[in-house]
Amino acid sequence: FSETFSIQGGIEYERGQTSDVLGQIDYTLVGLPVSLTYDSTDNALNPTEGIRLIASVTPYPEFLGSSVPITIARGTVSAYYALDEEARYVLAWRIGLGSIVGADLDEIPANRRFFAGGGGSVRGYTYRTLGPTFLGEPIGGRSLLEASLEARIKVTDTIGIVPFVDA
């Protein structure tokens, strides 16, 4: 719709098999993904000001052929604020939410469950290792809440430090 606001949608088909400590799931998913993006940041890769909001919902209804009738919703909002004119000091924060409704956890394919951990989530933890566990193994969950706060500090034009806290 504009440089800052867009909507997209489509049709998705996936047939597969996942296996974890909860068991094996053979599944077919036929979904209708819809996403909304609002991005007023000044730079796509290294923003120093603005807000970015990404929200998506994908229903996988039985009447389209899905063997696991679920709906997956996810949203992330982040904001950036330069403390000085040269943007050598930038505060950034991010909150992410997610939810899966329509099936019990052990019926949801493992690759569709929510996990946290890794660079785009909770830094300092291995990718997809945070979440509910069963028999000592992460199994993922039906809900997700992530948060991050950081200060981006330029030491030189090519070197910076970023103290942060993630949850």
Side-chain angles (χ1 to χ4, degrees):
F1 296 105
S2 71
E3 283 189 30
T4 57
F5 181 70
S6 65
I7 295 176
Q8 63 183 28
I11 298 173
E12 176 184 351
Y13 175 83
E14 181 179 333
R15 186 175 174 93
Q17 179 183 83
T18 63
S19 185
D20 65 2
V21 294
L22 294 181
Q24 179 177 302
I25 300 172
D26 296 307
Y27 66 92
T28 300
L29 293 175
V30 182
L32 302 169
V34 177
S35 68
L36 171 135
T37 302
Y38 173 80
D39 189 346
S40 68
T41 59
D42 60 340
N43 184 308
L45 299 178
N46 188 23
T48 61
E49 62 182 41
I51 295 173
R52 183 177 293 147
L53 169 77
I54 302 168
S56 65
V57 63
T58 306
Y60 298 96
E62 276 184 309
F63 70 83
L64 285 180
S66 294
S67 60
V68 182
I70 56 175
T71 298
I72 301 175
R74 187 162 188 157
T76 303
V77 62
S78 53
Y80 308 88
Y81 179 74
L83 298 175
D84 61 328
E85 271 189 44
E86 297 82 30
R88 296 189 72 77
Y89 303 94
V90 177
L91 293 179
W93 62 265
R94 177 186 58 84
I95 295 176
L97 301 167
S99 183
I100 303 172
V101 296
D104 292 332
L105 183 65
D106 62 345
E107 298 171 323
I108 300 169
N111 61 327
R112 294 299 178 140
R113 297 181 205 143
F114 290 117
F115 293 84
S121 173
V122 180
R123 295 167 280 193
Y125 289 87
T126 305
Y127 179 66
R128 293 176 56 97
T129 58
L130 293 177
T133 60
F134 182 72
L135 301 175
E137 294 292 321
I139 57 171
R142 292 174 30 153
S143 300
L144 176 71
L145 171 60
E146 298 172 323
S148 176
L149 176 64
E150 66 185 34
R152 299 175 180 178
I153 304 165
K154 281 188 176 181
V155 177
T156 69
D157 287 338
T158 57
I159 298 173
I161 60 172
V162 183
F164 65 88
V165 62
D166 292 344

